[in-house]
Amino acid sequence: MPHLLDGLRILVLEDEFLIAMDVEQLCRDHGAGEVVVARDLGEIDGRKVATQFDAAIVDLMLGGTSTLEFAAGLRETGVPFVFASGYSDADEIKASFPGVRLVTKPYSGEDLVEAVALAYGRGSPS
C-alpha cells in the first residue's frame, strides 16, 4: 500500500508537546517528506506557508489563541488543511469552513492521515 503522505511537506500546529510529537511521527511513518511542528502562531510566517508546505494539520486553539484567522489564510492561499482538535463546536467550524474536515481528539492516527490525504486530493473517501 502506498504511503498516503508520500513526499508531502506538512505543517503541524499543535501546542501539546506529546501530541505534536505523535503527529509528527505519524506523518513521517506515512511518507511525509518534511514535517514542521509549530506550537505558537508566532513561529510561522503566514505569508510563506503556501510556498513552504503542501498541507497543514491545525489545532483550533494554540495556547489559548484561536487559529481560525490563520486557517482562513491557508484557505485563501490554497493550502489544504484539516482541523485536529478537542474543540467541540463542529457546527461552527462546518459553517465557517465548509469542506474542511474536523478530526476530533482523541483521534486515531489512520483517521488523521486519511483526512490530510483527502484534503490534499489523495485517496478516496470511505
Side-chain angles (χ1 to χ4, degrees):
M1 178 172 138
H3 292 296
L4 288 174
L5 306 180
D6 252 358
L8 295 184
R9 299 167 300 162
I10 299 176
L11 170 63
V12 177
L13 293 179
E14 174 60 64
D15 58 351
E16 294 183 38
F17 182 73
L18 292 176
I19 293 174
M21 286 181 54
D22 284 345
V23 171
E24 178 182 10
Q25 189 59 52
L26 180 68
C27 291
R28 291 186 189 286
D29 289 348
H30 283 82
E34 180 181 2
V35 181
V36 173
V37 175
R39 298 180 64 192
D40 182 278
L41 288 174
E43 297 176 31
I44 299 297
D45 182 345
R47 297 167 303 199
K48 294 184 179 178
V49 169
T51 60
Q52 294 175 333
F53 300 101
D54 300 308
I57 299 169
V58 181
D59 190 352
L60 288 167
M61 298 293 286
L62 290 181
T65 302
S66 170
T67 60
L68 294 179
E69 188 175 317
F70 184 84
L74 290 175
R75 180 175 54 194
E76 288 171 15
T77 58
V79 176
F81 65 96
V82 299
F83 289 113
S85 185
Y87 186 73
S88 60
D89 194 354
D91 291 338
E92 179 185 338
I93 299 306
K94 287 178 185 173
S96 299
F97 294 90
V100 176
R101 176 125 175 241
L102 170 61
V103 183
T104 55
K105 294 176 184 174
Y107 46 77
S108 80
E110 294 302 316
D111 283 347
L112 185 61
V113 167
E114 180 181 289
V116 173
L118 287 172
Y120 186 72
R122 292 184 179 170
S124 57
S126 2

